Amino acid sequence: SSAAASSAAAAAAADPHLWLEDVLGERQLAWVEDVNKKCIDAVGDPKETEAYERIKAILDSKDKIPHAYRIGNDADSQYYNFWQDANHVQGIWRRTTLESFKTKEPKWTTVLDLDAMPPPTTDTAKTWVWHGSTLLDEGPNGKWDRALIRLSPGGSDADTCREFDLKTEKFVEPADGGFALPTPAKTRISYRSRDEVLVGTDFGGDNSTLTDSGYPRVVKSWKRGTPIEEAMTVFEGEQTDIAANMYAFHDREFVHEFKLRSITFYTSKYFYRSLTAEGIAGTTADEETTPFKEVPIPEDAELDMFADVAMITLRTDYEPVTGTAFKAGSLVSLPMAELMEDNWSNAFAMFTPTPCRSLSSTTESKDYIILKVLEDVKTNLEFWKYDSTSKTWMRQEGGDDARVRVGEDVSLHSHCRDSSADNTLWLWRDGYIVPDTLEMASADDCCAV
């Protein structure tokens, strides 16, 4: 229509580079090739330099320590790793036992080989790029036998999604009830239960369900064995939002479900409801009658959960109606039920910044939250144990063995994709005076770092 043409012309005038959005278009790729040629003519081809060859040799080296994380909580559960080298250019998803992983040369079993897959059939992409996996988590007694695999044709932001059976190590075909989104898009998808996923994507392929930023605006409940066209809308964000999302998860015998409006890159609105394991397994999102309620926190705050406790990271100073005031950069804990009533009287600042102290990151295990704190540019670890009976946190002191030495840095990660399984952690060391090292540690003794 003439109105649409006028709108497109106005957008092009406001952004003269808008035409480059079609990243695989013939004209766009020709422009990229021309600009690259001008750069190489001016500064030379980096592939012909010694630095390029040295960096490539490092990246292709098999001497790297693989990151591996356990999937499942059974005694025979194995550790999975995504690996790339000169022989596996696009990469393989592989697994091994903990005993084998601890050896100098672990015996890996390939689960999925991206180089061996048929190439993409869309646009000009010739290879698949790994965008990760999302596991089916059904709580403490879950089977951990399904995953949603995201693969991008050529490495663009848009990706495809297919359901994968971790027992048979094969994709679950749509004819057999498997979830599959073969058309590349900026999709967000996650399990809500075994037979339901929450998905936000470019439904219909006409951009009508995307935000102005090109990310999902509409989230739908998609039931196993039904076409995507029959998925039911359960949440809609605003057109001007960055994105909209809806997600549910099990956490230490509690079940949480959120709606999230990402208003800008630094501001959001959260909406919450508490569910039960039986309820989420038996009632789909479009049929669930428990209402959502907006979470009363500042729009620039970030919200996480630990069991039934809200963990709030503040970007600006905040003084709630009840309780004390908190500084920007604080990590605040309080019962989620009380937060939903805007009652901050029992809120606890697990971390408060000072001119020389800042919070670098947090790591969870079954009973602990571990803070990585930078104090005068030196790393310190703080271990906080949660008592579910009294609903309080207790700082654990590890003594001299728990202090990070000068000239050394450490980082912590759960050894399991389910961080609530136990208190075992991966401890990574690096620094000017120590080689990169991976150790298995425990939060129970403050990792004895």
Side-chain angles (χ1 to χ4, degrees):
S1 67
S2 59
S6 299
S7 176
D15 182 0
H17 300 295
L18 189 63
W19 65 281
L20 290 171
E21 290 286 334
D22 184 10
V23 295
L24 295 177
E26 184 176 340
R27 179 187 171 209
Q28 288 79 0
L29 291 175
W31 178 86
V32 170
E33 186 175 346
D34 179 61
V35 172
N36 284 347
K37 184 179 183 304
K38 291 178 180 177
C39 292
I40 290 174
D41 290 344
V43 302
D45 188 346
K47 293 183 179 180
E48 297 178 356
T49 65
E50 182 181 340
Y52 174 85
E53 294 297 333
R54 186 173 67 253
I55 293 171
K56 185 175 183 298
I58 293 172
L59 294 175
D60 287 341
S61 172
K62 294 185 178 181
D63 295 332
K64 297 176 291 185
I65 301 176
H67 295 244
Y69 300 95
R70 194 182 74 193
I71 293 180
N73 297 325
D74 298 329
D76 59 349
S77 295
Q78 299 202 358
Y79 286 72
Y80 287 68
N81 158 262
F82 185 75
W83 182 261
Q84 291 175 285
D85 58 26
N87 297 322
H88 305 96
V89 178
Q90 300 309 124
I92 55 173
W93 199 29
R94 57 186 188 172
R95 59 177 171 81
T96 190
T97 64
L98 178 59
E99 291 72 21
S100 179
F101 183 67
K102 290 179 177 180
T103 65
K104 185 176 181 180
E105 296 185 3
K107 295 180 179 179
W108 294 96
T109 298
T110 298
V111 177
L112 182 63
D113 186 344
L114 271 61
D115 295 276
M117 292 180 61
T121 58
T122 57
D123 300 311
T124 61
K126 296 180 175 61
T127 58
W128 291 109
V129 175
W130 178 260
H131 272 195
S133 62
T134 301
L135 302 177
L136 170 60
D137 177 5
E138 298 176 288
N141 298 316
K143 297 179 180 179
W144 299 94
D145 60 343
R146 293 290 176 93
L148 298 169
I149 305 296
R150 301 184 306 280
L151 301 175
S152 167
S156 67
D157 288 343
D159 55 32
T160 63
C161 180
R162 296 175 67 184
E163 188 174 26
F164 193 82
D165 189 319
L166 291 169
K167 301 302 181 184
T168 65
E169 298 186 344
K170 295 180 180 179
F171 285 108
V172 184
E173 298 299 330
D176 297 323
F179 295 107
L181 295 171
T183 302
K186 294 179 181 178
T187 298
R188 292 183 176 179
I189 183 171
S190 61
Y191 286 104
R192 188 173 183 271
S193 67
R194 176 167 291 272
D195 295 322
E196 179 189 12
V197 295
L198 296 171
V199 56
T201 190
D202 185 12
F203 298 103
D206 59 1
N207 298 332
S208 63
T209 59
L210 302 180
T211 65
D212 291 340
S213 299
Y215 293 96
R217 180 183 60 82
V218 175
V219 181
K220 296 187 178 185
S221 164
W222 184 15
K223 301 172 186 63
R224 185 179 299 281
T226 65
I228 188 69
E229 290 77 15
E230 294 182 8
M232 301 295 294
T233 298
V234 289
F235 181 48
E236 293 190 36
E238 300 294 331
Q239 189 66 38
T240 55
D241 290 345
I242 297 295
N245 194 16
M246 181 170 165
Y247 53 96
F249 57 95
H250 296 257
D251 188 343
R252 298 164 180 83
E253 300 184 0
F254 295 89
V255 180
H256 309 292
E257 186 159 40
F258 286 93
K259 292 179 177 179
L260 173 64
R261 284 182 53 208
S262 299
I263 302 170
T264 69
F265 284 111
Y266 302 105
T267 58
S268 303
K269 282 185 179 293
Y270 293 86
F271 305 84
Y272 172 75
R273 65 183 176 193
S274 176
L275 301 175
T276 64
E278 295 77 13
I280 199 169
T283 306
T284 55
D286 58 306
E287 297 174 343
E288 176 59 59
T289 58
T290 303
F292 281 92
K293 183 178 177 181
E294 184 173 346
V295 183
I297 59 175
E299 288 188 356
D300 62 351
E302 294 182 358
L303 175 63
D304 291 303
M305 299 296 299
F306 188 101
D308 58 344
V309 175
M311 305 298 300
I312 304 164
T313 303
L314 298 173
R315 283 198 176 96
T316 53
D317 294 347
Y318 182 62
E319 185 172 359
V321 176
T322 58
T324 187
F326 299 96
K327 290 184 178 181
S330 296
L331 177 61
V332 182
S333 167
L334 74 158
M336 188 63 176
E338 296 181 14
L339 173 61
M340 295 307 294
E341 298 300 324
D342 204 13
N343 177 8
W344 293 65
S345 57
N346 291 317
F348 164 67
M350 184 175 288
F351 177 82
T352 301
T354 68
C356 61
R357 295 179 83 242
S358 63
L359 181 60
S360 177
S361 63
T362 63
T363 303
E364 293 182 5
S365 70
K366 179 182 178 181
D367 301 308
Y368 295 83
I369 285 184
I370 305 99
L371 311 184
K372 180 178 178 179
V373 178
L374 290 180
E375 186 167 4
D376 294 325
V377 202
K378 179 181 178 296
T379 297
N380 288 316
L381 298 178
E382 296 183 3
F383 293 77
W384 292 88
K385 187 174 184 179
Y386 183 63
D387 185 329
S388 59
T389 302
S390 63
K391 297 186 182 301
T392 57
W393 294 94
M394 181 67 69
R395 173 81 181 272
Q396 306 297 297
E397 296 295 343
D400 292 339
D401 287 340
R403 295 192 177 96
V404 180
R405 293 181 287 270
V406 175
E408 181 177 323
D409 191 22
V410 298
S411 60
L412 293 173
H413 305 276
S414 173
H415 77 118
C416 183
R417 291 283 291 268
D418 174 18
S419 63
S420 67
D422 53 39
N423 291 318
T424 303
L425 299 164
W426 287 130
L427 172 68
W428 291 84
R429 298 180 189 271
D430 62 15
Y432 297 112
I433 59 176
V434 293
D436 289 358
T437 307
L438 174 63
E439 302 172 13
M440 182 165 270
S442 174
D444 289 320
D445 61 3
C446 297
C447 291
V449 297

